[in-house]
mmCIF file of all heavy atoms in Angstrom:
data_model
loop_
_atom_site.group_PDB
_atom_site.id
_atom_site.type_symbol
_atom_site.label_atom_id
_atom_site.label_comp_id
_atom_site.label_asym_id
_atom_site.label_seq_id
_atom_site.Cartn_x
_atom_site.Cartn_y
_atom_site.Cartn_z
ATOM 1 N N LEU S 1 -99.770 -164.129 129.617
ATOM 2 C CA LEU S 1 -98.743 -163.274 130.095
ATOM 3 C C LEU S 1 -97.471 -164.071 130.515
ATOM 4 O O LEU S 1 -96.318 -163.716 130.420
ATOM 5 C CB LEU S 1 -99.326 -162.453 131.268
ATOM 6 C CG LEU S 1 -98.376 -161.402 131.904
ATOM 7 C CD1 LEU S 1 -97.836 -160.363 130.913
ATOM 8 C CD2 LEU S 1 -98.940 -160.773 133.106
ATOM 9 N N GLY S 2 -97.856 -165.242 131.165
ATOM 10 C CA GLY S 2 -96.661 -166.104 131.660
ATOM 11 C C GLY S 2 -95.767 -166.595 130.565
ATOM 12 O O GLY S 2 -94.568 -166.804 130.647
ATOM 13 N N MET S 3 -96.312 -166.735 129.339
ATOM 14 C CA MET S 3 -95.582 -167.087 128.238
ATOM 15 C C MET S 3 -94.722 -165.925 127.548
ATOM 16 O O MET S 3 -93.614 -166.109 127.036
ATOM 17 C CB MET S 3 -96.432 -167.770 127.076
ATOM 18 C CG MET S 3 -97.152 -168.979 127.527
ATOM 19 S SD MET S 3 -98.414 -169.449 126.397
ATOM 20 C CE MET S 3 -97.316 -169.890 124.942
ATOM 21 N N ILE S 4 -95.244 -164.694 127.661
ATOM 22 C CA ILE S 4 -94.671 -163.553 127.065
ATOM 23 C C ILE S 4 -93.662 -162.856 128.000
ATOM 24 O O ILE S 4 -92.560 -162.460 127.565
ATOM 25 C CB ILE S 4 -95.666 -162.583 126.598
ATOM 26 C CG1 ILE S 4 -96.572 -163.200 125.493
ATOM 27 C CG2 ILE S 4 -95.117 -161.328 126.173
ATOM 28 C CD1 ILE S 4 -97.781 -162.338 125.201
ATOM 29 N N LEU S 5 -94.017 -162.597 129.226
ATOM 30 C CA LEU S 5 -93.242 -161.864 130.201
ATOM 31 C C LEU S 5 -91.814 -162.428 130.383
ATOM 32 O O LEU S 5 -90.833 -161.594 130.214
ATOM 33 C CB LEU S 5 -93.869 -161.672 131.474
ATOM 34 C CG LEU S 5 -93.204 -160.741 132.506
ATOM 35 C CD1 LEU S 5 -93.069 -159.339 131.992
ATOM 36 C CD2 LEU S 5 -94.010 -160.788 133.854
ATOM 37 N N PRO S 6 -91.561 -163.644 130.611
ATOM 38 C CA PRO S 6 -90.187 -164.194 130.741
ATOM 39 C C PRO S 6 -89.327 -163.890 129.588
ATOM 40 O O PRO S 6 -88.166 -163.463 129.726
ATOM 41 C CB PRO S 6 -90.409 -165.705 130.964
ATOM 42 C CG PRO S 6 -91.729 -165.760 131.466
ATOM 43 C CD PRO S 6 -92.605 -164.739 130.802
ATOM 44 N N GLU S 7 -89.903 -164.115 128.373
ATOM 45 C CA GLU S 7 -89.116 -163.806 127.210
ATOM 46 C C GLU S 7 -88.684 -162.356 127.033
ATOM 47 O O GLU S 7 -87.645 -161.994 126.615
ATOM 48 C CB GLU S 7 -89.898 -164.305 125.933
ATOM 49 C CG GLU S 7 -89.174 -164.196 124.638
ATOM 50 C CD GLU S 7 -87.838 -164.979 124.568
ATOM 51 O OE1 GLU S 7 -87.720 -166.038 125.231
ATOM 52 O OE2 GLU S 7 -86.931 -164.481 123.916
ATOM 53 N N LYS S 8 -89.697 -161.485 127.347
ATOM 54 C CA LYS S 8 -89.443 -160.028 127.267
ATOM 55 C C LYS S 8 -88.332 -159.656 128.216
ATOM 56 O O LYS S 8 -87.452 -158.926 127.828
ATOM 57 C CB LYS S 8 -90.679 -159.333 127.574
ATOM 58 C CG LYS S 8 -91.763 -159.448 126.634
ATOM 59 C CD LYS S 8 -91.545 -158.706 125.293
ATOM 60 C CE LYS S 8 -92.733 -158.730 124.325
ATOM 61 N NZ LYS S 8 -92.436 -158.101 123.067
ATOM 62 N N LEU S 9 -88.373 -160.230 129.459
ATOM 63 C CA LEU S 9 -87.418 -159.819 130.414
ATOM 64 C C LEU S 9 -86.042 -160.426 130.122
ATOM 65 O O LEU S 9 -84.974 -159.774 130.220
ATOM 66 C CB LEU S 9 -87.833 -160.282 131.816
ATOM 67 C CG LEU S 9 -89.026 -159.602 132.414
ATOM 68 C CD1 LEU S 9 -89.424 -160.223 133.724
ATOM 69 C CD2 LEU S 9 -88.685 -158.178 132.714
ATOM 70 N N ARG S 10 -86.031 -161.634 129.499
ATOM 71 C CA ARG S 10 -84.828 -162.274 129.134
ATOM 72 C C ARG S 10 -84.121 -161.545 128.045
ATOM 73 O O ARG S 10 -82.897 -161.250 128.091
ATOM 74 C CB ARG S 10 -85.049 -163.740 128.623
ATOM 75 C CG ARG S 10 -83.797 -164.538 128.491
ATOM 76 C CD ARG S 10 -84.142 -165.945 128.069
ATOM 77 N NE ARG S 10 -84.919 -166.623 129.021
ATOM 78 C CZ ARG S 10 -86.273 -167.058 128.811
ATOM 79 N NH1 ARG S 10 -86.803 -166.749 127.749
ATOM 80 N NH2 ARG S 10 -86.867 -167.654 129.891
ATOM 81 N N THR S 11 -84.912 -161.069 127.101
ATOM 82 C CA THR S 11 -84.304 -160.263 125.975
ATOM 83 C C THR S 11 -83.755 -158.986 126.468
ATOM 84 O O THR S 11 -82.728 -158.463 126.080
ATOM 85 C CB THR S 11 -85.405 -159.999 124.897
ATOM 86 O OG1 THR S 11 -85.953 -161.225 124.409
ATOM 87 C CG2 THR S 11 -84.854 -159.191 123.810
ATOM 88 N N LEU S 12 -84.503 -158.373 127.418
ATOM 89 C CA LEU S 12 -84.035 -157.108 128.074
ATOM 90 C C LEU S 12 -82.659 -157.260 128.648
ATOM 91 O O LEU S 12 -81.769 -156.530 128.361
ATOM 92 C CB LEU S 12 -85.121 -156.567 129.107
ATOM 93 C CG LEU S 12 -84.684 -155.481 129.896
ATOM 94 C CD1 LEU S 12 -84.516 -154.212 129.094
ATOM 95 C CD2 LEU S 12 -85.676 -155.212 130.965
ATOM 96 N N PHE S 13 -82.468 -158.296 129.482
ATOM 97 C CA PHE S 13 -81.219 -158.502 130.203
ATOM 98 C C PHE S 13 -80.169 -158.898 129.231
ATOM 99 O O PHE S 13 -79.014 -158.553 129.431
ATOM 100 C CB PHE S 13 -81.388 -159.558 131.337
ATOM 101 C CG PHE S 13 -82.139 -159.004 132.497
ATOM 102 C CD1 PHE S 13 -83.329 -159.517 132.781
ATOM 103 C CD2 PHE S 13 -81.579 -157.938 133.243
ATOM 104 C CE1 PHE S 13 -84.061 -159.007 133.863
ATOM 105 C CE2 PHE S 13 -82.327 -157.429 134.300
ATOM 106 C CZ PHE S 13 -83.485 -157.899 134.611
ATOM 107 N N GLU S 14 -80.460 -159.574 128.192
ATOM 108 C CA GLU S 14 -79.365 -159.931 127.229
ATOM 109 C C GLU S 14 -78.799 -158.657 126.613
ATOM 110 O O GLU S 14 -77.705 -158.516 126.340
ATOM 111 C CB GLU S 14 -79.960 -160.926 126.128
ATOM 112 C CG GLU S 14 -80.119 -162.352 126.632
ATOM 113 C CD GLU S 14 -80.825 -163.210 125.614
ATOM 114 O OE1 GLU S 14 -81.184 -162.741 124.574
ATOM 115 O OE2 GLU S 14 -80.989 -164.468 125.903
ATOM 116 N N ASN S 15 -79.765 -157.795 126.213
ATOM 117 C CA ASN S 15 -79.352 -156.484 125.664
ATOM 118 C C ASN S 15 -78.504 -155.720 126.568
ATOM 119 O O ASN S 15 -77.491 -155.046 126.164
ATOM 120 C CB ASN S 15 -80.582 -155.701 125.199
ATOM 121 C CG ASN S 15 -81.264 -156.250 123.983
ATOM 122 O OD1 ASN S 15 -80.593 -156.855 123.102
ATOM 123 N ND2 ASN S 15 -82.573 -156.108 123.910
ATOM 124 N N ILE S 16 -78.899 -155.711 127.862
ATOM 125 C CA ILE S 16 -78.193 -154.910 128.882
ATOM 126 C C ILE S 16 -76.751 -155.591 129.059
ATOM 127 O O ILE S 16 -75.750 -154.828 129.070
ATOM 128 C CB ILE S 16 -78.927 -154.896 130.240
ATOM 129 C CG1 ILE S 16 -80.247 -154.077 130.025
ATOM 130 C CG2 ILE S 16 -78.117 -154.286 131.224
ATOM 131 C CD1 ILE S 16 -81.176 -154.219 131.188
ATOM 132 N N ASP S 17 -76.701 -156.850 129.138
ATOM 133 C CA ASP S 17 -75.404 -157.521 129.251
ATOM 134 C C ASP S 17 -74.490 -157.293 128.102
ATOM 135 O O ASP S 17 -73.253 -157.121 128.296
ATOM 136 C CB ASP S 17 -75.532 -159.019 129.427
ATOM 137 C CG ASP S 17 -76.181 -159.425 130.796
ATOM 138 O OD1 ASP S 17 -76.073 -158.519 131.761
ATOM 139 O OD2 ASP S 17 -76.664 -160.476 131.008
ATOM 140 N N GLY S 18 -75.093 -157.184 126.934
ATOM 141 C CA GLY S 18 -74.237 -156.939 125.828
ATOM 142 C C GLY S 18 -73.922 -155.494 125.543
ATOM 143 O O GLY S 18 -73.156 -155.200 124.563
ATOM 144 N N GLY S 19 -74.319 -154.651 126.470
ATOM 145 C CA GLY S 19 -73.890 -153.187 126.361
ATOM 146 C C GLY S 19 -74.643 -152.518 125.252
ATOM 147 O O GLY S 19 -74.150 -151.496 124.641
ATOM 148 N N VAL S 20 -75.742 -152.986 124.750
ATOM 149 C CA VAL S 20 -76.518 -152.447 123.735
ATOM 150 C C VAL S 20 -77.490 -151.361 124.266
ATOM 151 O O VAL S 20 -78.125 -151.587 125.216
ATOM 152 C CB VAL S 20 -77.340 -153.461 122.956
ATOM 153 C CG1 VAL S 20 -78.190 -152.831 121.872
ATOM 154 C CG2 VAL S 20 -76.430 -154.555 122.451
ATOM 155 N N GLU S 21 -77.463 -150.274 123.577
ATOM 156 C CA GLU S 21 -78.355 -149.187 124.040
ATOM 157 C C GLU S 21 -79.790 -149.573 123.632
ATOM 158 O O GLU S 21 -80.098 -149.953 122.524
ATOM 159 C CB GLU S 21 -78.091 -147.858 123.360
ATOM 160 C CG GLU S 21 -78.883 -146.663 123.790
ATOM 161 C CD GLU S 21 -78.483 -145.397 123.101
ATOM 162 O OE1 GLU S 21 -77.512 -145.416 122.262
ATOM 163 O OE2 GLU S 21 -79.133 -144.399 123.430
ATOM 164 N N VAL S 22 -80.699 -149.395 124.553
ATOM 165 C CA VAL S 22 -82.060 -149.868 124.392
ATOM 166 C C VAL S 22 -82.981 -148.711 124.320
ATOM 167 O O VAL S 22 -82.961 -147.860 125.270
ATOM 168 C CB VAL S 22 -82.575 -150.886 125.522
ATOM 169 C CG1 VAL S 22 -84.041 -151.320 125.281
ATOM 170 C CG2 VAL S 22 -81.559 -152.051 125.499
ATOM 171 N N HIS S 23 -83.888 -148.573 123.326
ATOM 172 C CA HIS S 23 -84.851 -147.522 123.292
ATOM 173 C C HIS S 23 -86.227 -148.126 123.429
ATOM 174 O O HIS S 23 -86.543 -149.051 122.672
ATOM 175 C CB HIS S 23 -84.757 -146.806 121.854
ATOM 176 C CG HIS S 23 -83.349 -146.112 121.652
ATOM 177 N ND1 HIS S 23 -83.161 -144.874 122.114
ATOM 178 C CD2 HIS S 23 -82.331 -146.568 121.110
ATOM 179 C CE1 HIS S 23 -81.927 -144.553 121.768
ATOM 180 N NE2 HIS S 23 -81.337 -145.589 121.141
ATOM 181 N N LEU S 24 -86.956 -147.664 124.370
ATOM 182 C CA LEU S 24 -88.326 -148.267 124.629
ATOM 183 C C LEU S 24 -89.280 -147.195 124.390
ATOM 184 O O LEU S 24 -89.191 -146.023 124.822
ATOM 185 C CB LEU S 24 -88.372 -148.732 126.038
ATOM 186 C CG LEU S 24 -87.479 -149.906 126.445
ATOM 187 C CD1 LEU S 24 -87.551 -150.211 127.858
ATOM 188 C CD2 LEU S 24 -87.926 -151.157 125.605
ATOM 189 N N ARG S 25 -90.353 -147.517 123.636
ATOM 190 C CA ARG S 25 -91.463 -146.590 123.480
ATOM 191 C C ARG S 25 -92.672 -147.057 124.229
ATOM 192 O O ARG S 25 -92.907 -148.192 124.364
ATOM 193 C CB ARG S 25 -91.903 -146.605 121.897
ATOM 194 C CG ARG S 25 -90.763 -146.139 121.061
ATOM 195 C CD ARG S 25 -91.312 -145.810 119.640
ATOM 196 N NE ARG S 25 -91.734 -147.075 118.999
ATOM 197 C CZ ARG S 25 -91.150 -147.911 118.343
ATOM 198 N NH1 ARG S 25 -89.783 -147.648 118.133
ATOM 199 N NH2 ARG S 25 -91.664 -148.928 117.774
ATOM 200 N N ALA S 26 -93.404 -146.058 124.690
ATOM 201 C CA ALA S 26 -94.522 -146.405 125.608
ATOM 202 C C ALA S 26 -95.581 -147.237 124.912
ATOM 203 O O ALA S 26 -96.080 -148.220 125.563
ATOM 204 C CB ALA S 26 -95.243 -145.060 126.020
ATOM 205 N N GLU S 27 -95.756 -147.077 123.549
ATOM 206 C CA GLU S 27 -96.770 -147.856 122.955
ATOM 207 C C GLU S 27 -96.405 -149.349 122.824
ATOM 208 O O GLU S 27 -97.265 -150.201 122.746
ATOM 209 C CB GLU S 27 -97.068 -147.362 121.508
ATOM 210 C CG GLU S 27 -95.908 -147.368 120.574
ATOM 211 C CD GLU S 27 -95.190 -145.932 120.638
ATOM 212 O OE1 GLU S 27 -95.247 -145.261 121.670
ATOM 213 O OE2 GLU S 27 -94.501 -145.552 119.637
ATOM 214 N N GLU S 28 -95.109 -149.635 122.900
ATOM 215 C CA GLU S 28 -94.658 -151.046 122.891
ATOM 216 C C GLU S 28 -94.977 -151.696 124.289
ATOM 217 O O GLU S 28 -95.024 -152.939 124.342
ATOM 218 C CB GLU S 28 -93.150 -151.104 122.603
ATOM 219 C CG GLU S 28 -92.853 -150.672 121.156
ATOM 220 C CD GLU S 28 -91.402 -150.595 120.883
ATOM 221 O OE1 GLU S 28 -90.621 -150.603 121.869
ATOM 222 O OE2 GLU S 28 -90.958 -150.658 119.756
ATOM 223 N N LEU S 29 -94.942 -150.965 125.365
ATOM 224 C CA LEU S 29 -95.185 -151.439 126.608
ATOM 225 C C LEU S 29 -96.594 -151.655 126.927
ATOM 226 O O LEU S 29 -97.095 -152.537 127.763
ATOM 227 C CB LEU S 29 -94.496 -150.539 127.705
ATOM 228 C CG LEU S 29 -93.028 -150.460 127.677
ATOM 229 C CD1 LEU S 29 -92.526 -149.434 128.779
ATOM 230 C CD2 LEU S 29 -92.305 -151.766 127.914
ATOM 231 N N GLU S 30 -97.476 -150.939 126.258
ATOM 232 C CA GLU S 30 -98.965 -150.901 126.622
ATOM 233 C C GLU S 30 -99.577 -152.268 126.544
ATOM 234 O O GLU S 30 -100.303 -152.620 127.433
ATOM 235 C CB GLU S 30 -99.755 -149.873 125.737
ATOM 236 C CG GLU S 30 -99.445 -148.418 126.169
ATOM 237 C CD GLU S 30 -100.106 -147.416 125.279
ATOM 238 O OE1 GLU S 30 -100.780 -147.866 124.276
ATOM 239 O OE2 GLU S 30 -99.999 -146.205 125.477
ATOM 240 N N PRO S 31 -99.399 -153.084 125.425
ATOM 241 C CA PRO S 31 -99.953 -154.376 125.460
ATOM 242 C C PRO S 31 -99.582 -155.312 126.607
ATOM 243 O O PRO S 31 -100.433 -155.976 127.153
ATOM 244 C CB PRO S 31 -99.535 -155.033 124.109
ATOM 245 C CG PRO S 31 -99.186 -153.803 123.288
ATOM 246 C CD PRO S 31 -98.615 -152.841 124.233
ATOM 247 N N LEU S 32 -98.295 -155.193 126.988
ATOM 248 C CA LEU S 32 -97.761 -156.029 128.073
ATOM 249 C C LEU S 32 -98.456 -155.560 129.431
ATOM 250 O O LEU S 32 -98.883 -156.379 130.193
ATOM 251 C CB LEU S 32 -96.243 -155.894 128.140
ATOM 252 C CG LEU S 32 -95.516 -156.751 129.290
ATOM 253 C CD1 LEU S 32 -95.872 -158.209 129.156
ATOM 254 C CD2 LEU S 32 -94.090 -156.486 129.189
#
């Protein structure tokens, strides 16, 4: 989890900073 979670959060904030609309599906969050 320590290897995966930082990258996921970093990608999330990069998308937010870039003004990109983000669509999240519940099934994508379930493994995390």
Side-chain angles (χ1 to χ4, degrees):
L1 182 62
M3 295 172 66
I4 294 173
L5 184 59
E7 183 61 31
K8 294 287 185 183
L9 290 174
R10 190 177 300 114
T11 301
L12 172 64
F13 285 114
E14 286 173 358
N15 286 330
I16 292 170
D17 286 342
V20 179
E21 184 179 357
V22 180
H23 297 275
L24 295 174
R25 294 192 299 270
E27 60 267 25
E28 293 173 343
L29 296 176
E30 284 177 0
L32 180 61

